[in-house]
């Protein structure tokens, strides 16, 4: 893939017709190293956030050896990476997916119901009897606090039913774990403290020996409209919560970051095809990589990369409209850009590496991107890179 110093250099060299994904594998590598050096346990990358081979390669190169997969296609893909441990952490799996996963050597599974436990046991039972090497994680529901995307209504078990499920799972599991997901883009660490408090109560209620704790994903990235707490405060809160748990001393701890490992490692470079007042019509949108901007109101950082404007020119708030015929293909922002921006200009939209390309579809004939590697720094960083515009959150 072509390497370029920056989005400006890309636009100066060629004025691309398609939207361009600018990859920064070095940013994924930096995020992975930060997690590996500072998280008190194993770091499993949540594959669904972005499965570009360039980014997976950077994460692997930095030392990531655990992957959280959630579907059969994901796990078949990830199973081709040498020397990794996969964890099948979707609480509702098809029987055929469980069977195939077990055949591929996967031993970690999550579940949040007795029905799912039965499915796992039945589908992993072989000629010589039930599997004796399962690592089963009971997924519990925890309150989402300060999360952009809460998940507790869809998955997780709680109260007496959770205690019962822990006891039943203990009877068939070689190793018993507890897992939760506080919700994506969680802005502050309290959610993890609350969740580990729930874990504590449940272990006492069930009276089981717990071998593994998986604190899930949810770690934040930074966007134009959000300044989350530093990641170090999340890790401190998690370490303190685990320290208090009534579990064996050598309990194995894991986390499953998706967003925090890859958000900074891609930018989208789009062209302005029309300007109407402060509305800009661009060549990617809600059905492409900007789903979160359209449907969840994310305000990604933006800057114009097609020409120099005088430093005195003010920035103005803009709304963005995607290229499809659909009227919900709209990103409200506000996105701050030079007041003189016009048709034919190009914009870099930063920090779209998590759940950007992963979600993009091909509605209305769109959904095709050029890709290049960018060698400069992400527009905003959680990892202390002092870049133009300033890091939102200097960590170290
Ligand atoms: C999506 C998901 C993750 C990753 O979440 P982020 O918010 O991107 O960190 C981790 N674990 C599970 C079970 C998930 O479904």
């Amino acid at each position: 893939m072509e390497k370029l110093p920056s989005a400006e250099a890309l636009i100066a060299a060629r004025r691309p017709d398609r939207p361009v994904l600018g990859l920064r594998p070095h940013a994924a590598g930096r995020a992975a190293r930060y997690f590996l050096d500072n998280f008190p346990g194993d770091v499993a990358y949540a594959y669904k956030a972005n499965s570009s081979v360039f980014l997976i390669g950077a994460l692997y190169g930095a030392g990531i050896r655990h992957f959280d997969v959630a579907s059969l296609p994901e796990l078949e893909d990830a199973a081709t990476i040498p020397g990794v441990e996969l964890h099948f952490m979707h609480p509702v799996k098809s029987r055929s997916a469980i069977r195939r996963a077990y055949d591929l050597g996967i031993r970690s599974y999550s579940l949040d119901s007795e029905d799912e436990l039965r499915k796992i046991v039945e589908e992993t039972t072989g000629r010589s009897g039930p599997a004796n090497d399962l690592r089963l994680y009971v997924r519990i529901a925890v309150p989402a606090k300060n999360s952009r995307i809460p998940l507790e209504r869809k998955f997780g078990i709680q109260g007496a039913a959770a205690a019962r499920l822990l006891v039943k799972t203990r009877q068939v599991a070689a190793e018993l774990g507890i897992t939760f997901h506080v919700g994506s883009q969680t802005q502050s660490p309290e959610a993890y403290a609350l969740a580990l408090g729930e874990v504590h109560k449940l272990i006492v209620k069930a009276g089981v020996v717990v071998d593994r704790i998986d604190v899930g994903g949810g770690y934040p990235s930074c966007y134009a409209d959000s300044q989350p707490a530093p990641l170090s405060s999340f890790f401190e809160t998690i370490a303190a919560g685990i320290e208090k748990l009534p579990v064996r001393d050598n309990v194995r701890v894991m986390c499953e970051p998706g967003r925090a490992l890859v958000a900074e490692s891609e930018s989208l470079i789009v062209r302005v095809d029309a300007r109407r007042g402060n509305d800009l019509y661009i060549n990617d949108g809600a059905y492409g990589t900007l789903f979160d901007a359209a449907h969840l109101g994310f305000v990604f950082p933006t800057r114009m990369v097609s020409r120099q404007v005088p430093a005195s020119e003010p920035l103005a708030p803009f709304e963005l409209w995607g290229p499809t015929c659909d009227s919900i293909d709209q990103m409200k922002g506000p996105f701050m850009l030079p007041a003189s921006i016009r048709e034919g200009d190009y914009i870099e939209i930063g920090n779209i590496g998590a759940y950007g390309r992963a979600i993009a579809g091909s509605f209305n004939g769109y959904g095709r991107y050029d890709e290049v590697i960018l060698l400069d720094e992400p527009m905003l960083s959680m990892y202390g890179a002092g870049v133009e515009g300033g890091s939102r959150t200097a960590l170290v």
Side-chain angles (χ1 to χ4, degrees):
M1 201 186 305
E2 192 179 355
K3 292 193 174 86
L4 291 152
S6 65
E8 282 92 342
L10 166 78
I11 300 308
R14 54 181 151 109
R15 302 182 68 84
D17 220 32
R18 285 184 187 165
V20 181
L21 288 166
L23 285 80
R24 294 187 179 92
H26 66 280
R30 175 170 54 208
R33 280 191 299 279
Y34 185 84
F35 265 79
L36 289 166
D37 289 349
N38 294 284
F39 180 79
D42 297 326
V43 180
Y45 172 58
Y47 208 75
K48 72 175 186 287
N50 190 326
S51 56
S52 155
V53 292
F54 290 91
L55 300 186
I56 300 282
L59 297 173
Y60 186 86
I64 296 284
R65 291 293 179 273
H66 294 265
F67 290 85
D68 154 25
V69 293
S71 69
L72 191 50
E74 276 185 10
L75 78 86
E76 291 193 322
D77 221 32
T80 62
I81 310 170
V84 297
E85 194 173 319
L86 306 185
H87 306 268
F88 199 174
M89 302 308 266
H90 195 302
V92 181
K93 297 166 286 299
S94 74
R95 286 181 178 269
S96 56
I98 297 168
R99 227 165 28 238
R100 176 85 177 123
Y102 194 75
D103 286 347
L104 283 169
I106 296 176
R107 296 296 175 264
S108 295
Y109 301 86
S110 75
L111 59 123
D112 65 358
S113 71
E114 293 193 19
D115 287 346
E116 189 74 8
L117 179 61
R118 194 170 320 113
K119 268 159 68 182
I120 294 171
V121 169
E122 286 172 7
E123 298 306 323
T124 56
T125 294
R127 264 189 226 102
S128 47
N132 60 7
D133 53 2
L134 293 173
R135 281 192 297 270
L136 300 182
Y137 290 87
V138 171
R139 168 120 168 218
I140 66 166
V142 295
K145 216 172 150 109
N146 260 322
S147 160
R148 255 337 233 285
I149 306 155
L151 293 162
E152 84 267 23
R153 268 202 61 230
K154 184 157 183 181
F155 297 124
I157 187 168
Q158 50 189 327
R164 256 195 324 274
L165 183 58
L166 280 169
V167 171
K168 288 212 161 164
T169 305
R170 177 75 276 179
Q171 290 163 2
V172 297
E175 289 184 71
L176 175 66
I178 298 181
T179 186
F180 54 80
H181 194 313
V182 296
S184 206
Q185 185 62 9
T186 292
Q187 310 273 333
S188 64
E190 305 140 63
Y192 293 86
L194 282 174
L196 287 166
E198 294 297 314
V199 170
H200 193 136
K201 278 188 249 162
L202 266 180
I203 294 175
V204 172
K205 190 181 265 191
V208 289
V209 175
V210 171
D211 310 296
R212 291 181 174 241
I213 299 289
D214 169 9
V215 296
Y219 314 92
S221 185
C222 41
Y223 300 100
D225 63 339
S226 76
Q227 299 187 42
L231 290 170
S232 56
S233 69
F234 287 77
F235 298 167
E236 282 156 21
T237 299
I238 288 166
I242 285 176
E243 186 62 38
K244 285 188 240 143
L245 291 182
V247 288
R248 30 193 290 198
D249 278 350
N250 59 347
V251 68
R252 186 124 174 216
V253 179
M254 185 169 83
C255 66
E256 304 169 347
R259 177 185 306 282
L261 292 188
V262 292
E264 296 178 13
S265 61
E266 274 179 6
S267 277
L268 171 72
I269 298 128
V270 292
R271 186 184 54 214
V272 177
D273 285 331
R275 175 175 179 172
R276 298 184 185 165
N278 276 23
D279 290 357
L280 301 177
Y281 292 66
I282 59 173
N283 60 348
D284 196 32
Y287 295 92
T289 55
L290 295 173
F291 182 98
D292 284 353
H295 300 296
L296 300 171
F298 275 60
V299 184
F300 294 100
T302 43
R303 64 195 186 106
M304 189 172 80
V305 291
S306 40
R307 60 193 164 85
Q308 294 282 334
V309 292
S312 58
E313 182 179 324
L315 296 178
F318 289 90
E319 206 170 296
L320 303 177
W321 294 83
T324 70
C325 300
D326 199 323
S327 63
I328 59 171
D329 194 355
Q330 175 196 23
M331 287 67 61
K332 280 207 162 83
F335 299 96
M336 301 305 290
L337 289 158
S340 71
I341 193 164
R342 57 185 184 235
E343 187 259 316
D345 276 328
Y346 285 83
I347 303 167
E348 176 176 356
I349 302 178
N351 293 26
I352 52 106
Y355 309 110
R357 78 153 79 211
I359 294 179
S362 56
F363 177 50
N364 226 171
Y366 294 98
R368 280 192 283 270
Y369 301 87
D370 292 341
E371 293 187 44
V372 296
I373 297 217
L374 297 178
L375 301 173
D376 61 350
E377 292 302 330
M379 291 177 66
L380 297 172
S381 182
M382 293 292 284
Y383 301 95
V387 292
E388 192 200 330
S391 286
R392 267 303 147 160
T393 326
L395 248 198
V396 278

